Amino acid sequence: MPKLVIDAHRLVGPVPFDDLPEDPRPEMARLGIDQACVTHTLSLHSDPAAGNRALLELDDPRLVPVPVVVPGVPGTSEPSEPGEVLEWGVRMVRLCPERHRFDLTGPVALRWLSELGLPIAVDLDETSPAQLRALSDRLPGQRVLLLNPGYRRLRELAELLSEAPDVWVEIGTVNTQRGVEWLAERFGAGRLVFGTGAPVMDDCGPRFLLDHLDLAPDEVDLIASGSLGRLW
């Protein structure tokens, strides 16, 4: 059993397309998840500014805020400038280039990310391995947590990890037999991060997987929380 479990990918707030729990803490306690990095659903589905405000009002050390940032020219961004993000004092931000319609490797986004100097979390469906490789080339040292990679794209994922050394992978959807072990063998457990995507995604399965990985205890501890600490 890992010593500390941090869910690097969780949502807080109402889900507009389903009746799901808004507060993640009861389920976290049930599954033995000590902390969670949380993004507000309003920021993803309707109003990034309102969602970020609600997120930053949370006052619970178990919930680590990961606000959504929308890079853009003046009048089109959230927030209005990168300096506001730095004032929030957060450890990581989330980007949704497909949903919020901006170019992840465009000049504006690159300028914002350079000024922020923070890790970014991005869903694979919001970008592509090619874009992430381009981001790594254009902004060396930019740390990326890739969310929801799935298990059908392991070949692409392996190529990305080989070429982009500052990409970490959230394992919640890598639920094929020994898929996580395969990645750990080739790229090290230090680049794999526990996450669930709950409540939209299942959290019981990833939590069960974490406890039953065929890896050394120190590798499991890395995936459960230590790798995220390195990312931050």
Side-chain angles (χ1 to χ4, degrees):
M1 297 287 288
K3 301 171 186 175
L4 176 69
V5 179
I6 302 177
D7 185 346
H9 177 206
R10 206 169 185 104
L11 301 178
V12 61
V15 178
F17 48 81
D18 209 341
D19 182 19
L20 294 170
E22 296 186 22
D23 186 345
R25 287 169 288 193
E27 190 69 0
M28 287 168 57
R30 186 178 76 84
L31 294 177
I33 297 173
D34 302 287
Q35 281 185 302
C37 300
V38 292
T39 296
H40 205 286
T41 54
L42 290 177
S43 297
L44 296 177
H45 299 297
S46 58
D47 186 340
N52 288 341
R53 285 195 298 271
L55 180 71
L56 296 170
E57 289 173 357
L58 296 175
D59 186 20
D60 189 325
R62 291 172 292 176
L63 304 180
V64 180
V66 181
V68 169
V69 170
V70 185
V73 299
T76 69
S77 64
E78 165 50 34
S80 60
E81 60 176 357
E84 290 186 43
V85 181
L86 297 176
E87 290 175 1
W88 294 340
V90 296
R91 296 181 175 183
M92 181 166 62
V93 296
R94 183 160 177 178
L95 301 184
C96 306
E98 177 66 25
R99 182 174 296 169
H100 294 142
R101 298 293 189 266
F102 65 88
D103 185 351
L104 181 61
T105 56
V108 173
L110 292 176
R111 190 160 54 246
W112 274 62
L113 294 178
S114 180
E115 290 188 40
L116 291 176
L118 291 171
I120 63 170
V122 60
D123 196 302
L124 182 55
D125 285 344
E126 292 279 348
T127 180
S128 69
Q131 267 208 321
L132 293 172
R133 289 196 303 272
L135 178 64
S136 178
D137 290 340
R138 297 178 190 180
L139 204 61
Q142 174 62 59
R143 294 157 290 167
V144 176
L145 175 59
L146 185 61
L147 308 176
N148 287 333
Y151 64 89
R152 294 183 175 92
R153 302 177 69 176
L154 287 179
R155 187 176 291 109
E156 291 177 274
L157 191 58
E159 182 181 22
L160 173 63
L161 290 172
S162 297
E163 299 297 323
D166 292 307
V167 172
W168 280 253
V169 174
E170 180 243 314
I171 68 163
T173 54
V174 185
N175 52 6
T176 190
Q177 184 177 11
R178 293 189 60 81
V180 176
E181 289 88 343
W182 187 86
L183 290 172
E185 178 183 348
R186 284 156 180 80
F187 305 105
R191 294 181 70 185
L192 306 179
V193 176
F194 173 73
T196 66
V200 176
M201 306 291 287
D202 171 53
D203 51 2
C204 295
R207 185 65 184 87
F208 180 87
L209 174 65
L210 184 66
D211 283 342
H212 293 82
L213 290 172
D214 186 15
L215 295 171
D218 61 329
E219 293 177 296
V220 175
D221 283 336
L222 277 174
I223 295 171
S225 61
S227 300
L228 184 63
R230 294 180 177 186
L231 171 64
W232 287 340

